[in-house]
Amino acid sequence: MKKGVITGMILLLAAAFVWAGGAAEDQSGSGDGELKPLNFLFSSTFSETETGGQILKHFQDYLSESTDGKIKATIKWGGTLYQSPDELEAVSSGAVQMIALGHNPHFDMLPLLCSFPDFAPDSSQNALDFFKHVVFEDPSSSAVLTGEAEANNVKYLNVIAGGANTFLADFPFTDMASMVKGSTSFGNMEAAKFEYLGFRVTQVLPWDLYDAFDRGVIDASQMSLAPLVSMSLYEVADTWMLDNTYTAGNFLTVNLDWWNGLSAAQQEAIQAAADEVMEYSAGIYDAAIADQLKLLQDEGATVVTMNDADFTTWWDAVFMSKVDSSLKMAEGRGDTDKVKAVLKSAAEFTGYQTDF
């Protein structure tokens, strides 16, 4: 075979690999700081139109614009490539280069990241600061969580907001006591913290909540506001109570081998976009929360304000149930000291007093 033909075939194969794997260019870096072109694959379970999708679209646009189009993220929306339970394995294996990791479905692979509360009090910004402190800034907890990530061949670049949380029921209530008294079956997958409050819990997957309410299997629940509104839960539950906690924890997560193969200039550009979109995510969720509350009111739902005493009880239930379950499971794995480091960091940030 002629040399020119062989060279052409090699170039075609290299081009195909660039599209499939996102990292076939020479990324070793020549030391001159030149930003080389890169197109990588980003799998998302968000649809492009929902709030989480708008955040990732902002990341995509910012990255392209800030690099004059040299670095592009090709996002596959709505779980068309991978659903939530498969995302971590996909990015760990290198099947995709980046995901927005919702970590709770991956307790078996990320028990340390799942060992502290996945929301925080007061505001979307405080939730972001909470995760940033525990995962990236506190040396004791950051070392533990970075080590766990590396063991799974991934790296967290940053975290994005996830909106407000709310209780809801298909009967009138004014506070936690009247809600507990009125409920005969509280639907949620995490029983401990709700049993601590006095609810009788029936395990129901988030996407089955509407049907469970509609059929009378449950009469109350708690979850993130945004998906509950998007699933039209106001049609089957007409009293809602925001609980003054806000989620974060969708980590912009990359395949570690791929990341280490990038040039310093490429890493800096992608990290800068991840940092920028973290701040952007708090603002867009604040606006989204206002829109969601207006929609509830327009649909005739009653929105109750949680009082301070109820919040204190609620946050105690959240934290103590997580401490109890995390430390119990840590004993079986032999990583109690690591879990304590993470929980201590989370407790200190939120001002929670604990003696573990």
Side-chain angles (χ1 to χ4, degrees), residues 19 40-48 56 60 73-82 87 96 98:
W19 180 250
F40 61 91
L41 189 59
F42 193 135
S43 177
S44 174
T45 57
F46 291 120
S47 69
E48 191 171 356
L56 298 187
Q60 182 185 46
T74 298
I75 302 179
K76 299 298 183 180
W77 302 101
T80 53
L81 283 183
Y82 298 98
E87 281 189 308
V96 297
M98 184 180 288

Side-chain angles (χ1 to χ4, degrees), residues 242-299:
L242 268 64
D243 63 17
N244 196 36
T245 66
Y246 297 79
T247 60
N250 282 303
F251 294 91
L252 294 183
T253 302
V254 295
N255 175 273
L256 184 60
D257 289 338
W258 172 77
W259 179 261
N260 288 338
L262 300 180
S263 69
Q266 290 168 331
Q267 289 180 350
E268 289 171 5
I270 296 170
Q271 183 66 63
D275 292 342
E276 199 281 336
V277 81
M278 186 187 79
E279 302 304 322
Y280 171 84
S281 70
I284 192 173
Y285 262 111
D286 287 343
I289 291 166
D291 290 342
Q292 289 150 9
L293 291 176
K294 184 178 185 304
L295 176 59
L296 288 178
Q297 293 167 350
D298 290 346
E299 293 293 337

Side-chain angles (χ1 to χ4, degrees), residues 27-50:
Q27 296 160 348
S28 58
S30 60
D32 58 6
E34 178 187 357
L35 183 62
K36 297 181 179 180
L38 177 69
N39 191 345
F40 61 91
L41 189 59
F42 193 135
S43 177
S44 174
T45 57
F46 291 120
S47 69
E48 191 171 356
T49 56
E50 64 182 303

Side-chain angles (χ1 to χ4, degrees), residues 68-149:
D68 294 325
K70 290 184 177 180
I71 301 184
K72 298 179 181 179
T74 298
I75 302 179
K76 299 298 183 180
W77 302 101
T80 53
L81 283 183
Y82 298 98
Q83 295 291 324
S84 293
D86 304 315
E87 281 189 308
L88 179 58
E89 185 175 352
V91 73
S92 176
S93 69
V96 297
Q97 285 73 58
M98 184 180 288
I99 60 171
L101 176 69
H103 57 291
N104 282 330
H106 308 289
F107 177 84
D108 57 333
M109 297 175 70
L110 301 171
L112 299 175
L113 188 62
C114 297
S115 67
F116 66 104
D118 55 357
F119 41 78
D122 298 334
S123 67
S124 293
Q125 185 60 58
N126 196 56
L128 288 172
D129 292 342
F130 172 62
F131 274 92
K132 190 174 181 181
H133 172 80
V134 176
V135 179
F136 300 103
E137 295 177 343
D138 185 330
S140 58
S141 55
S142 177
V144 167
L145 296 172
T146 298
E148 180 180 65

Side-chain angles (χ1 to χ4, degrees), residues 9-21:
M9 290 177 64
I10 292 173
L11 290 173
L12 285 172
L13 288 170
F17 182 73
V18 168
W19 180 250

